[in-house]
Amino acid sequence: MIIDSLFHKENKPLRKIAFLVTIPCAILPILIATAGFMSIPFEPLFFKNDIYLFSFIYLVYTYGLFLSWQYHRKWTPAILFAIHLISQFAFVKWGQFEWLGYLPIMTIIGTSLLNQYYRVGSLECNDPLECSKEG
């Protein structure tokens, strides 16, 4: 069984939430925030000024990526997240290209998947902290 020991050993609520929102199983808030930012040129997604809620979700997600990066020191999730932000800006700026709307969604899913893979490790290791001490 794979155990995310960083998440389970964390006691501070904000850090625990930040770890949680970066895993693929809890990706719904960041996907909603992505959809909200992609609807900027048209109208609010849920309510007036919902961009502040989406900005907060992005800040927590970025904080979770940073906390995970401190553990695994892999740049691939950060690079994918940067591509996500650039593609999201491009969609808002040049939204007439329909295919451009898929890129932010796919890159945020890829960011979460890679981040979780680097945080948890392979299927052979139950506790990534113990495995990092061995190898």
Side-chain angles (χ1 to χ4, degrees), residues 16-132:
K16 195 162 188 106
I17 290 169
F19 275 130
L20 180 64
V21 298
T22 60
I23 63 172
C25 297
I27 199 170
L28 188 59
I30 195 69
L31 286 177
I32 291 172
T34 299
F37 277 121
M38 289 168 62
S39 70
I40 285 176
F42 310 111
E43 58 188 34
L45 189 64
F46 295 123
F47 48 86
K48 185 178 177 183
N49 295 326
D50 59 2
I51 191 168
Y52 298 119
L53 172 66
F54 302 143
S55 298
F56 177 72
I57 292 170
Y58 262 86
L59 286 174
V60 172
Y61 188 84
T62 305
Y63 183 56
L65 285 178
F66 174 72
L67 292 174
S68 295
W69 175 82
Q70 284 183 323
Y71 171 72
H72 57 67
R73 300 287 183 183
K74 304 282 187 195
W75 286 98
T76 316
I79 292 169
L80 267 177
F81 189 62
I83 293 170
H84 163 76
L85 293 175
I86 291 167
S87 63
Q88 191 168 9
F89 175 76
F91 178 80
V92 171
K93 186 80 171 151
W94 305 291
Q96 67 268 20
F97 302 117
E98 291 179 11
W99 61 269
L100 203 51
Y102 293 103
L103 195 56
I105 301 297
M106 293 300 139
T107 53
I108 200 68
I109 291 171
T111 300
S112 292
L113 288 172
L114 274 177
N115 185 57
Q116 181 67 9
Y117 174 74
Y118 289 141
R119 215 165 70 194
V120 173
S122 69
L123 295 174
E124 300 169 4
C125 180
N126 287 338
D127 189 0
L129 294 178
E130 292 299 320
C131 290
S132 63

